[in-house]
Amino acid sequence: MQLNDHWRKIVKIFIFAFLCTEMQTTFTQRDLAAQRGISLAEMEAISNDHAFGDTKMSAPYQASIRLAAQERLYFGKGHICSGALVAPSVVLTVGSCIFSQNKRNYYHPSELRVMLGNPQRFAPNEQGLVVGVTHIYQPPQDLALAILMLEKDVPQDHPLIQPVGLPSPGETSVLDSSDASQSLLQISTWGYDSQIRELHDLVTLNATHTVCPNTAGSPKRICVQTEATGGAPSLYMDAGATLTERDRLLGLRSLDGGFEDVASHVNWILANIGDGSNQNSSVWGALGFLVFTGYVLMVSRKTLSA
């Protein structure tokens, strides 16, 4: 009888853990406006403001990295930064994005969710995906980017999501190109307007390369200047905003305003992601499951012996 009770407890713990992982609350626009303490008129203004440029899904690789605990309050609450899908189960972002200032440590993979295929921060899309993270490759001391391994591959034929290309190993960085100032670059970001309101739509901007201030001893940076937007209000980009040229990822925005140079990280990235599919990240998921199972069995045995 005690053995049956023992296994019932284990099954209940697994079911409870599964439900906690899978449950996610969604809200209507009216609910969202109430949660954020703004009027519906302001919500509409955020949603429909096209002053910053094209707000369609022109960056199918763009990822919204979110805290799972805050996402339970309402969809979009947990957004902490942007990133880029570079392989079926690999997202790149800046290291500062996945570092918790409160805990003075990196977030655990189970604390994060990645939203893909959805240009609107606060409104779920039926074709969008919200994917868990199984492992995080933290940046070495001399680098600044982090790798998130997703719990499943993004389908190759997904209509709204496609990985962006990485620079080839040994390829000349945009920093070293003689005609860098002539390259037309694109920035994609979820940011803030001049009143520090969170923008509802993904914004894309054209930009050109400029010379960075002296940053000797720090990782390579790319500095850009956005094209004039006809008197549009100021736009503040979020960390991890993507910088691309012809569907090739050049940089990800750091907290200090520059873009971390992806070309200087590419050898480290390729060494860690393998073929970029879920078979690499699933190893970490399996190890996590085994650790969790061992913990459950240990707790159950202590309960029985008490």
Side-chain angles (χ1 to χ4, degrees):
M1 186 67 179
Q2 285 186 342
L3 185 61
N4 288 337
D5 290 341
H6 172 70
W7 285 109
R8 285 196 190 98
K9 288 180 180 179
I10 293 177
V11 171
K12 286 179 181 179
I13 292 173
F14 274 111
I15 292 173
F16 179 75
F18 175 78
L19 291 176
C20 287
T21 303
E22 296 298 320
M23 281 191 305
Q24 179 169 303
T25 306
T26 57
F27 286 76
T28 64
Q29 294 281 50
R30 184 177 299 275
D31 295 328
L32 175 57
Q35 286 278 348
R36 299 178 67 211
I38 61 177
S39 69
L40 288 176
E42 289 178 310
M43 189 69 196
E44 190 69 16
I46 297 173
S47 178
N48 294 325
D49 183 7
H50 297 276
F52 297 113
D54 183 13
T55 53
K56 296 178 181 179
M57 197 63 189
S58 55
Y61 44 81
Q62 194 81 8
S64 169
I65 300 168
R66 305 180 170 201
L67 293 177
Q70 294 189 24
E71 281 293 284
R72 295 190 183 102
L73 298 176
Y74 58 83
F75 188 87
K77 169 71 172 175
H79 176 88
I80 52 175
C81 62
S82 293
L85 183 76
V86 298
S89 66
V90 181
V91 167
L92 291 185
T93 189
V94 288
S96 57
C97 165
I98 46 103
F99 186 84
S100 171
Q101 295 296 333
N102 292 331
K103 298 190 298 182
R104 303 302 302 168
N105 202 352
Y106 287 95
Y107 290 113
H108 189 273
S110 64
E111 297 180 87
L112 301 177
R113 296 291 183 271
V114 175
M115 184 196 72
L116 297 159
N118 194 344
Q120 296 182 321
R121 188 193 302 207
F122 299 107
N125 182 333
E126 288 185 359
Q127 292 184 302
L129 298 178
V130 178
V131 188
V133 178
T134 60
H135 184 66
I136 297 173
Y137 289 102
Q138 300 167 8
Q141 189 172 3
D142 58 335
L143 298 178
L145 300 184
I147 303 171
L148 307 185
M149 304 300 293
L150 305 183
E151 65 182 1
K152 64 181 180 181
D153 289 353
V154 174
Q156 292 184 357
D157 57 351
H158 196 287
L160 298 179
I161 308 172
Q162 291 297 322
V164 64
L166 288 170
S168 301
E171 183 177 338
T172 301
S173 168
V174 69
L175 297 168
D176 306 318
S177 175
S178 58
D179 61 346
S181 61
Q182 306 301 317
S183 300
L184 184 59
L185 312 177
Q186 178 177 286
I187 298 170
S188 299
T189 180
W190 284 285
Y192 305 85
D193 65 12
S194 57
Q195 299 178 32
I196 318 300
R197 295 186 305 176
E198 300 156 314
L199 296 179
H200 180 50
D201 292 287
L202 179 67
V203 173
T204 61
L205 297 167
N206 292 329
T208 53
H209 179 255
T210 61
V211 177
C212 288
N214 183 27
T215 54
S218 63
K220 287 188 175 182
R221 299 284 177 85
I222 303 173
C223 294
V224 300
Q225 180 175 353
T226 57
E227 291 188 349
T229 54
S234 300
L235 168 67
Y236 301 97
M237 303 176 200
D238 59 350
T242 57
L243 177 69
T244 58
E245 179 190 28
R246 294 190 296 272
D247 297 324
R248 183 173 60 117
L249 183 65
L250 300 182
L252 293 163
R253 186 181 181 276
S254 64
L255 288 176
D256 64 7
F259 286 81
E260 305 293 351
D261 181 39
V262 174
S264 62
H265 292 71
V266 71
N267 288 324
W268 172 73
I269 294 168
L270 295 176
N272 283 293
I273 68 173
D275 63 2
S277 66
N278 181 252
Q279 64 181 357
N280 300 291
S281 59
S282 62
V283 172
W284 295 103
L287 289 175
F289 179 78
L290 291 174
V291 170
F292 178 73
T293 302
Y295 173 77
V296 170
L297 291 173
M298 179 181 68
V299 170
S300 299
R301 285 171 182 168
K302 286 183 178 179
T303 302
L304 285 174
S305 61

